[in-house]
Amino acid sequence: MTLAIFGGTFDPVHLGHLSVAWEAAELLDAEVRLLPASVPPHRAAPVASAPQRAAILREALKGQSRLVLDTRELDRSGPSYTIDTLHELRAEQGDRPLVWLVGADAFAQLASWHRWRELFEVAHLGVLSRPGASAALPEELEHEVAGRRVVAAADLRGLPAGNVIELAVTPLEISATRIRGLLAAGRDPRYLLPAGLFNDSSLLAPYRA
Ligand code: ATP
């Protein structure tokens, strides 16, 4: 079975993340790991600490076994580079197909990632459609990706790495930025987050004013 890995800050994880991760599992017939980053190299520090974000993810993933939490980046010190994580996973998984899942907005920035061209040597890239993300890519990224595009999930199965597949998932315009804003303003974003997060008031406390 293909192993797909969905990295992100997950500050906090929301129903947009869970829904697209689940659809990717279905489309790729894959096990999906959600892999939170500890110190994202590209952006401001998360509002919630690594243990707080992991606790939210654990609660969010309850009741199913297809999406699982992988805390390896939280357990490592220093910046989380995707390429290092992928090399580690490759060493563990042998020739199993690996797919790094990324939202279309994040994919458009790929050429700014550390050792980005090497990513294709270690994994496939699965690009999740996201409302508001432009389909146009910067020239050097388009150039790298052009010969790698495949349409069918079956085209990834026999190959460990190297291709790019667009995954047309149900568009959900939910972002963690908006959820943090609502919580900080004292509002209740109940149906944008997994219901279980509201059963324990300590889980979302880091985001409340
Ligand atoms: P923030 O608003 O803090 O930037 P976010 O909601 O974009 O957060 P991240 O943790 O930064 O969430 O995203 C992790 C990954 O999930 C990224 O690849 C991002 O593109 C993708 N993603 C997040 N929300 C969605 C969504 N609603 N639809 C598709 N992809 C998404």
Side-chain angles (χ1 to χ4, degrees), residues 156-176:
L156 303 181
R157 279 194 202 114
L159 286 171
N163 289 332
V164 175
I165 187 165
E166 306 267 343
L167 300 168
V169 291
T170 304
L172 283 174
E173 202 164 357
I174 303 176
S175 74

PDB file of all heavy atoms in Angstrom, residues 156-176:
ATOM      1  N   LEU A 156       1.390   5.545  -9.985  1.00  0.00           N
ATOM      2  CA  LEU A 156       2.356   5.717  -8.892  1.00  0.00           C
ATOM      3  C   LEU A 156       2.701   4.390  -8.235  1.00  0.00           C
ATOM      4  O   LEU A 156       3.739   4.266  -7.590  1.00  0.00           O
ATOM      5  CB  LEU A 156       1.788   6.638  -7.804  1.00  0.00           C
ATOM      6  CG  LEU A 156       1.348   8.046  -8.189  1.00  0.00           C
ATOM      7  CD1 LEU A 156       0.855   8.781  -6.944  1.00  0.00           C
ATOM      8  CD2 LEU A 156       2.498   8.824  -8.809  1.00  0.00           C
ATOM      9  N   ARG A 157       1.809   3.404  -8.382  1.00  0.00           N
ATOM     10  CA  ARG A 157       1.896   2.220  -7.515  1.00  0.00           C
ATOM     11  C   ARG A 157       3.183   1.436  -7.648  1.00  0.00           C
ATOM     12  O   ARG A 157       3.768   1.057  -6.668  1.00  0.00           O
ATOM     13  CB  ARG A 157       0.672   1.335  -7.690  1.00  0.00           C
ATOM     14  CG  ARG A 157      -0.420   1.927  -6.851  1.00  0.00           C
ATOM     15  CD  ARG A 157      -1.602   1.078  -6.618  1.00  0.00           C
ATOM     16  NE  ARG A 157      -2.676   2.015  -6.276  1.00  0.00           N
ATOM     17  CZ  ARG A 157      -3.739   2.250  -6.989  1.00  0.00           C
ATOM     18  NH1 ARG A 157      -3.970   1.566  -8.093  1.00  0.00           N
ATOM     19  NH2 ARG A 157      -4.611   3.146  -6.623  1.00  0.00           N
ATOM     20  N   GLY A 158       3.668   1.228  -8.854  1.00  0.00           N
ATOM     21  CA  GLY A 158       4.874   0.405  -8.979  1.00  0.00           C
ATOM     22  C   GLY A 158       6.166   1.180  -8.763  1.00  0.00           C
ATOM     23  O   GLY A 158       7.243   0.596  -8.758  1.00  0.00           O
ATOM     24  N   LEU A 159       6.060   2.498  -8.563  1.00  0.00           N
ATOM     25  CA  LEU A 159       7.258   3.343  -8.514  1.00  0.00           C
ATOM     26  C   LEU A 159       7.426   3.974  -7.147  1.00  0.00           C
ATOM     27  O   LEU A 159       6.467   4.537  -6.616  1.00  0.00           O
ATOM     28  CB  LEU A 159       7.114   4.495  -9.509  1.00  0.00           C
ATOM     29  CG  LEU A 159       7.259   4.188 -10.991  1.00  0.00           C
ATOM     30  CD1 LEU A 159       6.853   5.423 -11.796  1.00  0.00           C
ATOM     31  CD2 LEU A 159       8.705   3.806 -11.286  1.00  0.00           C
ATOM     32  N   PRO A 160       8.625   3.960  -6.581  1.00  0.00           N
ATOM     33  CA  PRO A 160       8.789   4.557  -5.258  1.00  0.00           C
ATOM     34  C   PRO A 160       8.670   6.083  -5.248  1.00  0.00           C
ATOM     35  O   PRO A 160       8.192   6.647  -4.269  1.00  0.00           O
ATOM     36  CB  PRO A 160      10.203   4.142  -4.832  1.00  0.00           C
ATOM     37  CG  PRO A 160      10.787   3.336  -5.927  1.00  0.00           C
ATOM     38  CD  PRO A 160       9.813   3.219  -7.050  1.00  0.00           C
ATOM     39  N   ALA A 161       9.107   6.768  -6.315  1.00  0.00           N
ATOM     40  CA  ALA A 161       9.223   8.241  -6.249  1.00  0.00           C
ATOM     41  C   ALA A 161       9.257   8.845  -7.652  1.00  0.00           C
ATOM     42  O   ALA A 161       9.368   8.122  -8.642  1.00  0.00           O
ATOM     43  CB  ALA A 161      10.516   8.609  -5.513  1.00  0.00           C
ATOM     44  N   GLY A 162       9.176  10.182  -7.716  1.00  0.00           N
ATOM     45  CA  GLY A 162       9.518  10.889  -8.953  1.00  0.00           C
ATOM     46  C   GLY A 162       8.383  11.519  -9.728  1.00  0.00           C
ATOM     47  O   GLY A 162       8.628  12.326 -10.626  1.00  0.00           O
ATOM     48  N   ASN A 163       7.120  11.201  -9.405  1.00  0.00           N
ATOM     49  CA  ASN A 163       6.018  11.751 -10.182  1.00  0.00           C
ATOM     50  C   ASN A 163       5.217  12.791  -9.392  1.00  0.00           C
ATOM     51  O   ASN A 163       5.344  12.889  -8.169  1.00  0.00           O
ATOM     52  CB  ASN A 163       5.081  10.633 -10.651  1.00  0.00           C
ATOM     53  CG  ASN A 163       5.727   9.779 -11.732  1.00  0.00           C
ATOM     54  OD1 ASN A 163       6.584  10.255 -12.475  1.00  0.00           O
ATOM     55  ND2 ASN A 163       5.329   8.527 -11.816  1.00  0.00           N
ATOM     56  N   VAL A 164       4.386  13.516 -10.138  1.00  0.00           N
ATOM     57  CA  VAL A 164       3.520  14.520  -9.516  1.00  0.00           C
ATOM     58  C   VAL A 164       2.099  14.226  -9.952  1.00  0.00           C
ATOM     59  O   VAL A 164       1.831  14.064 -11.140  1.00  0.00           O
ATOM     60  CB  VAL A 164       3.919  15.944  -9.978  1.00  0.00           C
ATOM     61  CG1 VAL A 164       2.946  16.985  -9.421  1.00  0.00           C
ATOM     62  CG2 VAL A 164       5.347  16.264  -9.544  1.00  0.00           C
ATOM     63  N   ILE A 165       1.199  14.125  -8.979  1.00  0.00           N
ATOM     64  CA  ILE A 165      -0.202  13.859  -9.293  1.00  0.00           C
ATOM     65  C   ILE A 165      -1.081  14.938  -8.659  1.00  0.00           C
ATOM     66  O   ILE A 165      -0.870  15.317  -7.505  1.00  0.00           O
ATOM     67  CB  ILE A 165      -0.631  12.434  -8.835  1.00  0.00           C
ATOM     68  CG1 ILE A 165      -2.041  12.116  -9.323  1.00  0.00           C
ATOM     69  CG2 ILE A 165      -0.525  12.260  -7.325  1.00  0.00           C
ATOM     70  CD1 ILE A 165      -2.394  10.629  -9.223  1.00  0.00           C
ATOM     71  N   GLU A 166      -2.009  15.469  -9.439  1.00  0.00           N
ATOM     72  CA  GLU A 166      -2.975  16.448  -8.911  1.00  0.00           C
ATOM     73  C   GLU A 166      -4.130  15.661  -8.311  1.00  0.00           C
ATOM     74  O   GLU A 166      -4.674  14.767  -8.977  1.00  0.00           O
ATOM     75  CB  GLU A 166      -3.543  17.309 -10.048  1.00  0.00           C
ATOM     76  CG  GLU A 166      -2.516  17.992 -10.903  1.00  0.00           C
ATOM     77  CD  GLU A 166      -2.196  19.406 -10.427  1.00  0.00           C
ATOM     78  OE1 GLU A 166      -2.994  19.953  -9.641  1.00  0.00           O
ATOM     79  OE2 GLU A 166      -1.145  19.917 -10.839  1.00  0.00           O
ATOM     80  N   LEU A 167      -4.514  15.980  -7.114  1.00  0.00           N
ATOM     81  CA  LEU A 167      -5.622  15.291  -6.462  1.00  0.00           C
ATOM     82  C   LEU A 167      -6.769  16.294  -6.301  1.00  0.00           C
ATOM     83  O   LEU A 167      -6.668  17.258  -5.523  1.00  0.00           O
ATOM     84  CB  LEU A 167      -5.181  14.732  -5.108  1.00  0.00           C
ATOM     85  CG  LEU A 167      -4.017  13.720  -5.201  1.00  0.00           C
ATOM     86  CD1 LEU A 167      -3.441  13.433  -3.814  1.00  0.00           C
ATOM     87  CD2 LEU A 167      -4.464  12.432  -5.868  1.00  0.00           C
ATOM     88  N   ALA A 168      -7.814  16.085  -7.090  1.00  0.00           N
ATOM     89  CA  ALA A 168      -8.947  17.024  -7.083  1.00  0.00           C
ATOM     90  C   ALA A 168      -9.859  16.671  -5.924  1.00  0.00           C
ATOM     91  O   ALA A 168     -10.728  15.812  -6.029  1.00  0.00           O
ATOM     92  CB  ALA A 168      -9.683  16.957  -8.406  1.00  0.00           C
ATOM     93  N   VAL A 169      -9.626  17.310  -4.801  1.00  0.00           N
ATOM     94  CA  VAL A 169     -10.402  17.015  -3.591  1.00  0.00           C
ATOM     95  C   VAL A 169     -11.525  18.048  -3.438  1.00  0.00           C
ATOM     96  O   VAL A 169     -11.490  19.107  -4.057  1.00  0.00           O
ATOM     97  CB  VAL A 169      -9.487  17.005  -2.336  1.00  0.00           C
ATOM     98  CG1 VAL A 169      -8.551  15.813  -2.381  1.00  0.00           C
ATOM     99  CG2 VAL A 169      -8.705  18.307  -2.208  1.00  0.00           C
ATOM    100  N   THR A 170     -12.495  17.728  -2.612  1.00  0.00           N
ATOM    101  CA  THR A 170     -13.628  18.642  -2.400  1.00  0.00           C
ATOM    102  C   THR A 170     -13.119  19.979  -1.859  1.00  0.00           C
ATOM    103  O   THR A 170     -12.426  19.999  -0.836  1.00  0.00           O
ATOM    104  CB  THR A 170     -14.609  18.015  -1.387  1.00  0.00           C
ATOM    105  OG1 THR A 170     -14.998  16.734  -1.880  1.00  0.00           O
ATOM    106  CG2 THR A 170     -15.835  18.886  -1.194  1.00  0.00           C
ATOM    107  N   PRO A 171     -13.443  21.072  -2.527  1.00  0.00           N
ATOM    108  CA  PRO A 171     -12.928  22.362  -2.056  1.00  0.00           C
ATOM    109  C   PRO A 171     -13.559  22.782  -0.732  1.00  0.00           C
ATOM    110  O   PRO A 171     -14.783  22.816  -0.609  1.00  0.00           O
ATOM    111  CB  PRO A 171     -13.321  23.348  -3.177  1.00  0.00           C
ATOM    112  CG  PRO A 171     -14.056  22.575  -4.200  1.00  0.00           C
ATOM    113  CD  PRO A 171     -14.268  21.175  -3.729  1.00  0.00           C
ATOM    114  N   LEU A 172     -12.739  23.042   0.239  1.00  0.00           N
ATOM    115  CA  LEU A 172     -13.221  23.528   1.543  1.00  0.00           C
ATOM    116  C   LEU A 172     -12.360  24.730   1.902  1.00  0.00           C
ATOM    117  O   LEU A 172     -11.160  24.599   2.121  1.00  0.00           O
ATOM    118  CB  LEU A 172     -13.049  22.447   2.611  1.00  0.00           C
ATOM    119  CG  LEU A 172     -14.053  21.300   2.602  1.00  0.00           C
ATOM    120  CD1 LEU A 172     -13.677  20.247   3.620  1.00  0.00           C
ATOM    121  CD2 LEU A 172     -15.458  21.822   2.879  1.00  0.00           C
ATOM    122  N   GLU A 173     -12.996  25.870   1.966  1.00  0.00           N
ATOM    123  CA  GLU A 173     -12.223  27.091   2.200  1.00  0.00           C
ATOM    124  C   GLU A 173     -12.059  27.327   3.702  1.00  0.00           C
ATOM    125  O   GLU A 173     -12.650  28.237   4.262  1.00  0.00           O
ATOM    126  CB  GLU A 173     -12.913  28.271   1.507  1.00  0.00           C
ATOM    127  CG  GLU A 173     -11.955  29.401   1.249  1.00  0.00           C
ATOM    128  CD  GLU A 173     -12.486  30.395   0.235  1.00  0.00           C
ATOM    129  OE1 GLU A 173     -13.585  30.175  -0.307  1.00  0.00           O
ATOM    130  OE2 GLU A 173     -11.789  31.391   0.008  1.00  0.00           O
ATOM    131  N   ILE A 174     -11.270  26.464   4.321  1.00  0.00           N
ATOM    132  CA  ILE A 174     -11.025  26.564   5.768  1.00  0.00           C
ATOM    133  C   ILE A 174      -9.531  26.752   5.947  1.00  0.00           C
ATOM    134  O   ILE A 174      -8.747  26.056   5.299  1.00  0.00           O
ATOM    135  CB  ILE A 174     -11.465  25.268   6.494  1.00  0.00           C
ATOM    136  CG1 ILE A 174     -12.934  24.963   6.212  1.00  0.00           C
ATOM    137  CG2 ILE A 174     -11.222  25.384   7.997  1.00  0.00           C
ATOM    138  CD1 ILE A 174     -13.425  23.638   6.807  1.00  0.00           C
ATOM    139  N   SER A 175      -9.124  27.675   6.793  1.00  0.00           N
ATOM    140  CA  SER A 175      -7.697  27.828   7.080  1.00  0.00           C
ATOM    141  C   SER A 175      -7.498  27.955   8.582  1.00  0.00           C
ATOM    142  O   SER A 175      -8.385  28.432   9.310  1.00  0.00           O
ATOM    143  CB  SER A 175      -7.118  29.063   6.382  1.00  0.00           C
ATOM    144  OG  SER A 175      -7.561  30.244   7.045  1.00  0.00           O
ATOM    145  N   ALA A 176      -6.313  27.545   9.016  1.00  0.00           N
ATOM    146  CA  ALA A 176      -5.983  27.661  10.437  1.00  0.00           C
ATOM    147  C   ALA A 176      -5.879  29.134  10.834  1.00  0.00           C
ATOM    148  O   ALA A 176      -6.217  29.497  11.969  1.00  0.00           O
ATOM    149  CB  ALA A 176      -4.676  26.922  10.724  1.00  0.00           C
TER     150      ALA A 176
END
